[in-house]
Amino acid sequence: MWIFVCKPPTDRHPYSLQPYPYLSTVFVLRTLVCSVLFFFAGLAVYGQADTLRLSAWPSFEVADRHLDIAVDSADVVPIERAHTLSFASPGTGFLNGVIVPPATGYRYFYRLVVHNDTPDSAYYFVTASPQRSFAVSVANGNQPPRPAALRHRHHRSDPVTKLADVAFAPGETKTLYVQLKFPHYTPSNMFIWLVEQRSEYYFFTYQIGYLSRQNTFSWFFCGMLMMMFLYIALKYVQIRTREYVYYAGYIFFFLGYFGLKTLVVSGHEWLWHAEWYNGFVNDQLQTAGYVMYFLFFQQFLHTRSLMPDLHRFISVLVVVLPIYIGIDFVLFFFPETTVAKDTLWNVIRVVLVAITLYCIWRTARTRSPLGKYLIIGGLLLAVFALTAMVFSFYPGLIENLPSPFHWGITYFQIGVAAELICFALGLGYKNRQDEIQKLKAEEELKRQEAQVEFERYKTMTQAREAERGRIAKDLHDGLGGMLTGVRLSLANVSPSTPEGASQLRRSLDMLDGSVYELRRIAQDLMPLALERFGLVSALRDYTASVGSMGTVRVAYQTLGDTRRLTADQELICFRLVQELVNNTLKHARAKNILVQLAFQSGALELTVEDDGVGFAPERLREAEGSGWNNIHSRVSYLKGTVDVQSRSGEGVSVHIFLPV
Amino acid sequence: MIRVFIVDDHPMVIEGIKSMLLQLPDMEFVGFAMNAGSCEGYFANNTADVVLMDINLPDLSGLELCPRLLKKHPGLHIIALSNFDQLSYVQSMKEAGARGYVLKNASADELHRAISAAMEGDSYWLGKDNLKEHWASQQPLLTRREVEVLRLIAEGLTNNEIAEKLFVSASTVDSHRKNLISKLQVKNTAALVKTAVESKII
């Protein structure tokens, strides 16, 4: 059985929009897969190196040793540069220190035994960084002091703040206990210095020791950032939307910041000694990241139309911040401005965080569907950053967790990852929205074109039908009337001869034939009964007249409550039946035709069936070009559907469903 | 003598019919009108036995004029005289109260038979005495699609399954089902299947 289903053109245009629901999901899945891949890449490359480095660093295995302090003129540095040089000149080496194990009931200590072998008294102070991690006590004797006796002063991140003064008489040996309060917490590395205070302006520094910890998670994290960066950059090549550039830039600067930080934490001395890193790059990577974030924010949310005031503000900001980066870079070469430079950075850092929060708040108020990605991402980052900060102040809360969760920075990294994934989701969503928008526009265009085509068809058809109606009426009333009149007059002629009589009879027959032909033509052109009596009657006439030709038997039946339709609909229905019956008469060599009209509430079904030769598939396709096109355009004009069923040798059954 | 009045907007037709009538022995031509208005005007003061009435008139159609005339003059015998050979016109004129329907190119004999029939209380419709025969409604036929749907219903398939099978929408299948129910004059689908099996449709 071969069944061919014809759909009218309206069905070929998907007016109900079909968006691509998988796009966003694919986007996120790819990002995640890439991130995971890079986790492993990071593990393979850096995880290995990290382990090696640590195993080669016997930091806490130092035995109790005695070292003299030798004063070397090379260590004399001006005090003004103390801030920046504390990292850069780590001193002459390690003093002896030993970890006192916790079994003694105390915390971890460095015990430093310092001997003054000079003939003069020496004045030193002890300092450490970060200071909240240390407490220092100076004592003579071999027992560590009780914790309560420890002196501790809080001066964050200032390595030259005195934690304890120590005076050495000539030849005196003293034991210093430096307590490491949070052995698990190392934001980058830890330093303990013994600083000689010779005068107000000069001092000597000695690095006593530092801690370095591996953080494989950091490498994973950097790997993820790199993979996201690559992916977004590729995505930009594909999609060419500016927010992808900014987003890639944002990830790039984050990557720089965290990558360098991870190197520092992993104990890459060349980096934490580097002035360019500490004095400039570390801060300015963050600033550049903010610039990219704001640009991304503008582009992603279309703030130009959504929040014009904020848009202008951010536009100014993204010009000001690079200027600041330039100024900072210049100041970097003038060490005397260090304090001012650092202060400026601290102010800007706080302002940037405030502006970011303000942007999130403004976004939340717009209730834009895109905004929620920014808000959720921003809030996640904020929450995790805050968590990291809390843990940095109270490391005891997490010190017993397994690695990497005993690291405060891990939480920050998780926050950043969450934010970036939210942004990626947002981009995916937006991308999908754009696709939908594009699709909608295309749909609209198609719909308009279809509308124009429809109108054109309608106008053309109506004009043609009106013309036909006029001709039919003229034929019928004018010419028909006259022919009839002629016939009637002729009929009254009484011929005098038998030849004349037969001549007259022939003429009358010919006239009858003409009148009959004229009626048929007029009827074909426009069934005048249609307008007067409606579709049901007109089709009854039509089927009767086709049947009266004697070649086929035509059955006509109606179902349901018959009713009048609009003139347009009735004419089209009539034409449909006419076309289908004509097709059958022309091609099918059928004996029977069935025409059925089924009225339903809100719909009319036309069925035309024959028992002729039917369609072979090729024939139908062939026919598609000509007569069927008419049928399709008529049906689609009435927004109906056609169902053609045929099998070679078994006739055709056409079923037309019209919503009327 | 049967008095005949003609309403037609074609002078040639009037002329022709008139001369035809004059040949017939018992017919008398009493007048003509070329539109419905003047026809009604004539019958306000005069009368006739038979009105030969065209359907297409410039002001009112014969379909409207016929009942109006009959309302005022119930004794009139109206016979439609038309160029339309469609049954819908015949049927409508019959419903309008006409007693006969003759085509304009009818022979004098035909015209005579129609007028006589009308006068005798009979009727004449395009040469056929009984319209019913022509209009007779046949036993409803089932379309092939309907038979197919019926078979699938009998197999116990749901609308959706049938729709899937026939590549049509479920609502189309449902309308087929409704048509079947109305054609076989049953109440529900179960009775439909039963009747179909009994009458050997499937």
Side-chain angles (χ1 to χ4, degrees):
Chain A
M1 177 87 188
W2 182 76
I3 293 174
F4 185 85
V5 180
C6 306
K7 290 263 162 69
T10 41
D11 278 6
R12 291 195 208 120
H13 302 304
Y15 287 123
S16 56
L17 192 62
Q18 304 280 321
Y20 305 129
Y22 49 84
L23 194 77
S24 179
T25 324
V26 166
F27 183 84
V28 171
L29 279 179
R30 280 188 192 155
T31 311
L32 287 179
V33 166
C34 287
S35 305
V36 169
L37 279 179
F38 217 89
F39 272 168
F40 287 106
L43 179 65
V45 179
Y46 289 103
Q48 192 63 26
D50 218 49
T51 314
L52 284 175
R53 172 136 191 100
L54 200 81
S55 63
W57 194 261
S59 49
F60 301 130
E61 304 304 322
V62 182
D64 204 351
R65 265 189 293 158
H66 178 91
L67 276 180
D68 294 333
I69 299 172
V71 177
D72 189 338
S73 60
D75 291 325
V76 176
V77 290
I79 198 163
E80 287 91 343
R81 302 194 64 185
H83 283 79
T84 49
L85 292 183
S86 57
F87 282 88
S89 47
T92 52
F94 297 99
L95 290 182
N96 62 330
V98 68
I99 293 285
V100 180
T104 58
Y106 300 98
R107 287 179 174 269
Y108 296 95
F109 286 95
Y110 277 116
R111 188 176 68 203
L112 312 164
V113 182
V114 182
H115 172 68
N116 179 12
D117 57 356
T118 62
D120 303 318
S121 289
Y123 300 94
Y124 284 83
F125 65 86
V126 181
T127 184
S129 174
Q131 297 197 357
R132 63 177 174 278
S133 302
F134 292 96
V136 175
S137 115
V138 181
N140 294 310
N142 290 325
Q143 285 300 311
R146 303 196 69 79
L150 289 169
R151 289 178 57 199
H152 178 229
R153 286 158 66 189
H154 243 300
H155 291 280
R156 291 190 59 205
S157 66
D158 182 358
V160 294
T161 305
K162 293 175 189 177
L163 293 178
D165 285 309
V166 201
F168 296 93
E172 190 185 11
T173 302
K174 274 188 172 169
T175 306
L176 311 179
Y177 290 94
V178 182
Q179 188 193 18
L180 179 58
K181 293 202 293 184
F182 311 118
H184 290 297
Y185 179 72
T186 49
S188 57
N189 43 44
M190 290 179 168
F191 299 94
I192 303 166
W193 283 280
L194 194 58
V195 182
E196 182 178 6
Q197 32 190 7
R198 274 199 163 170
S199 67
E200 206 179 330
Y201 300 108
Y202 296 95
F203 68 93
F204 303 97
T205 64
Y206 295 93
Q207 182 182 334
I208 299 169
Y210 84 95
L211 296 172
S212 164
R213 306 184 65 103
Q214 69 167 337
N215 186 356
T216 318
F217 181 78
S218 258
W219 288 114
F220 288 173
F221 176 72
C222 290
M224 190 193 92
L225 289 187
M226 200 177 287
M227 200 44 107
M228 282 183 102
F229 169 72
L230 283 176
Y231 184 64
I232 298 295
L234 284 176
K235 205 78 191 157
Y236 169 70
V237 174
Q238 186 192 344
I239 297 179
R240 301 257 165 214
T241 321
R242 267 160 70 195
E243 55 251 43
Y244 281 87
V245 177
Y246 300 140
Y247 188 51
Y250 183 52
I251 299 174
F252 176 78
F253 289 119
F254 249 122
L255 178 63
Y257 174 72
F258 277 105
L260 292 174
K261 198 126 213 140
T262 307
L263 285 174
V264 169
V265 171
S266 305
H268 287 255
E269 287 180 57
W270 60 270
L271 192 60
W272 46 262
H273 294 170
E275 275 189 56
W276 58 265
Y277 172 67
N278 296 298
F280 174 71
V281 172
N282 192 37
D283 302 345
Q284 294 319 323
L285 278 175
Q286 294 177 55
T287 314
Y290 271 110
V291 172
M292 286 297 160
Y293 172 80
F294 288 131
L295 284 171
F296 172 72
F297 178 81
Q298 271 191 334
Q299 199 70 25
F300 181 72
L301 267 191
H302 287 300
T303 47
R304 187 190 296 277
S305 54
L306 199 63
M307 300 175 274
D309 56 325
L310 192 63
H311 183 85
R312 280 193 296 276
F313 176 68
I314 290 176
S315 299
V316 172
L317 199 65
V318 296
V319 173
V320 168
L321 286 178
I323 293 175
Y324 161 67
I325 292 177
I327 291 173
D328 194 67
F329 184 67
V330 171
L331 290 182
F332 171 64
F333 295 101
F334 298 93
E336 59 271 27
T337 61
T338 301
V339 176
K341 182 174 169 298
D342 284 357
T343 312
L344 185 59
W345 165 236
N346 282 330
V347 170
I348 283 186
R349 185 152 60 166
V350 171
V351 168
L352 286 178
V353 170
I355 292 172
T356 309
L357 290 174
Y358 177 68
C359 285
I360 290 176
W361 179 67
R362 286 291 304 270
T363 309
R365 279 184 33 185
T366 62
R367 297 185 184 283
S368 131
L370 279 177
K372 68 173 182 259
Y373 292 96
L374 289 185
I375 296 163
I376 294 172
L379 288 181
L380 277 174
L381 178 62
V383 166
F384 278 102
L386 206 68
T387 310
M389 211 161 80
V390 168
F391 288 156
S392 81
F393 282 113
Y394 303 101
L397 293 173
I398 50 169
E399 65 182 339
N400 292 324
L401 293 176
S403 174
F405 299 104
H406 64 281
W407 282 74
I409 198 168
T410 299
Y411 298 92
F412 186 46
Q413 287 169 342
I414 290 173
V416 170
E419 187 200 33
L420 290 181
I421 286 172
C422 276
F423 287 5
L425 278 170
L427 273 175
Y429 175 76
K430 192 182 181 192
N431 194 16
R432 192 181 68 185
Q433 293 300 111
D434 288 350
E435 293 274 355
I436 291 174
Q437 213 62 40
K438 224 167 83 183
L439 214 65
K440 263 188 186 162
E442 277 172 20
E443 283 304 319
E444 181 58 25
L445 199 69
K446 262 191 210 160
R447 208 186 57 72
Q448 279 173 2
E449 277 172 8
Q451 186 66 30
V452 168
E453 178 61 25
F454 178 81
E455 290 297 333
R456 205 180 57 82
Y457 175 78
K458 190 174 164 183
T459 318
M460 211 176 71
T461 311
Q462 281 175 347
R464 192 174 57 207
E465 295 289 2
E467 184 68 6
R468 280 181 173 183
R470 199 179 58 74
I471 296 172
K473 222 174 169 59
D474 282 358
L475 274 180
H476 213 280
D477 296 354
L479 196 56
M482 280 160 74
L483 279 180
T484 324
V486 170
R487 193 212 180 274
L488 288 169
S489 328
L490 268 184
N492 295 320
V493 173
S494 322
S496 48
T497 62
E499 291 81 32
S502 68
Q503 189 80 32
L504 180 65
R505 175 110 324 267
R506 273 207 302 283
S507 300
L508 284 177
D509 284 349
M510 275 159 73
L511 264 178
D512 277 346
S514 309
V515 170
Y516 178 79
E517 191 60 20
L518 182 138
R519 279 191 202 123
R520 198 189 57 74
I521 292 170
Q523 164 77 11
D524 249 18
L525 273 174
M526 176 62 62
L528 298 173
L530 186 63
E531 198 184 328
R532 216 166 231 157
F533 308 117
L535 181 65
V536 174
S537 301
L539 277 181
R540 183 172 287 133
D541 291 344
Y542 175 71
T543 50
S545 83
V546 172
S548 69
M549 295 190 300
T551 50
V552 285
R553 277 173 46 199
V554 187
Y556 174 68
Q557 57 192 18
T558 59
L559 285 173
D561 298 326
T562 56
R563 62 176 186 273
R564 291 296 300 260
L565 312 175
T566 66
D568 225 22
Q569 289 169 337
E570 289 197 325
L571 186 55
I572 289 170
C573 289
F574 185 86
R575 292 289 185 218
L576 278 170
V577 173
Q578 208 176 13
E579 184 93 41
L580 287 168
V581 169
N582 274 340
N583 277 351
T584 296
L585 293 177
K586 260 189 243 166
H587 307 297
R589 298 201 292 277
K591 289 193 185 66
N592 290 287
I593 298 178
L594 169 62
V595 177
Q596 175 179 303
L597 223 58
F599 285 87
Q600 285 152 8
S601 55
L604 171 64
E605 286 174 73
L606 294 174
T607 307
V608 178
E609 256 184 30
D610 67 51
D611 56 355
V613 292
F615 283 113
E618 309 82 49
R619 280 271 320 275
L620 183 58
R621 231 170 275 134
E622 208 175 280
E624 273 285 306
S626 53
W628 286 102
N629 263 358
N630 274 336
I631 290 170
H632 283 154
S633 36
R634 286 194 172 111
V635 171
S636 63
Y637 179 84
L638 293 184
K639 300 189 169 49
T641 54
V642 192
D643 162 26
V644 182
Q645 188 193 0
S646 178
R647 179 157 68 155
S648 198
E650 290 203 10
V652 185
S653 175
V654 182
H655 182 257
I656 297 172
F657 182 89
L658 303 169
V660 293
Chain B
M1 293 295 269
I2 301 170
R3 291 166 298 167
V4 180
F5 185 83
I6 300 177
V7 197
D8 199 309
D9 58 340
H10 250 280
M12 274 172 85
V13 174
I14 296 172
E15 201 51 47
I17 296 284
K18 183 176 156 192
S19 37
M20 201 185 273
L21 283 173
L22 292 178
Q23 292 171 4
L24 298 173
D26 49 351
M27 301 287 166
E28 184 189 350
F29 176 73
V30 293
F32 68 90
M34 290 186 57
N35 54 52
S38 54
C39 172
E40 284 182 303
Y42 172 84
F43 280 102
N45 304 316
N46 308 292
T47 184
D49 298 316
V50 169
V51 181
L52 295 177
M53 186 182 284
D54 190 11
I55 290 179
N56 269 354
L57 293 171
D59 42 1
L60 278 179
S61 80
L63 297 167
E64 292 152 304
L65 178 62
C66 183
R68 278 173 69 147
L69 267 189
L70 285 176
K71 203 173 172 191
K72 284 185 202 151
H73 317 281
L76 280 178
H77 300 90
I78 297 179
I79 294 172
L81 184 70
S82 173
N83 247 335
F84 294 110
D85 58 352
Q86 285 95 15
L87 290 173
S88 53
Y89 284 93
V90 182
Q91 181 70 15
S92 302
M93 278 311 281
K94 188 180 179 190
E95 279 161 12
R99 307 295 291 270
Y101 195 106
V102 182
L103 284 176
K104 285 185 183 173
N105 59 345
S107 62
D109 182 45
E110 225 176 311
L111 190 63
H112 187 229
R113 267 169 48 203
I115 294 173
S116 309
M119 289 306 291
E120 285 158 22
D122 220 339
S123 57
Y124 180 92
W125 308 106
L126 284 182
K128 295 160 196 102
D129 295 327
N130 195 358
L131 260 185
K132 270 278 181 287
E133 188 184 299
H134 212 88
W135 292 92
S137 56
Q138 305 125 315
Q139 186 70 27
L141 298 166
L142 300 189
T143 68
R144 262 205 295 288
R145 206 38 138 185
E146 283 165 355
V147 173
E148 206 169 348
V149 169
L150 189 54
R151 194 170 293 129
L152 293 174
I153 289 173
E155 279 173 23
L157 269 61
T158 65
N159 276 5
N160 284 331
E161 287 164 346
I162 295 172
E164 215 165 284
K165 213 161 180 158
L166 301 182
F167 302 104
V168 296
S169 72
S171 62
T172 307
V173 174
D174 197 52
S175 67
H176 283 313
R177 187 193 291 257
K178 277 181 200 153
N179 289 349
L180 282 166
I181 287 175
S182 112
K183 277 184 184 177
L184 298 184
Q185 294 174 338
V186 290
K187 287 205 177 71
N188 51 41
T189 310
L192 184 69
V193 174
K194 185 166 168 274
T195 312
V197 170
E198 276 169 4
S199 52
K200 296 197 171 56
I201 295 171
I202 52 174

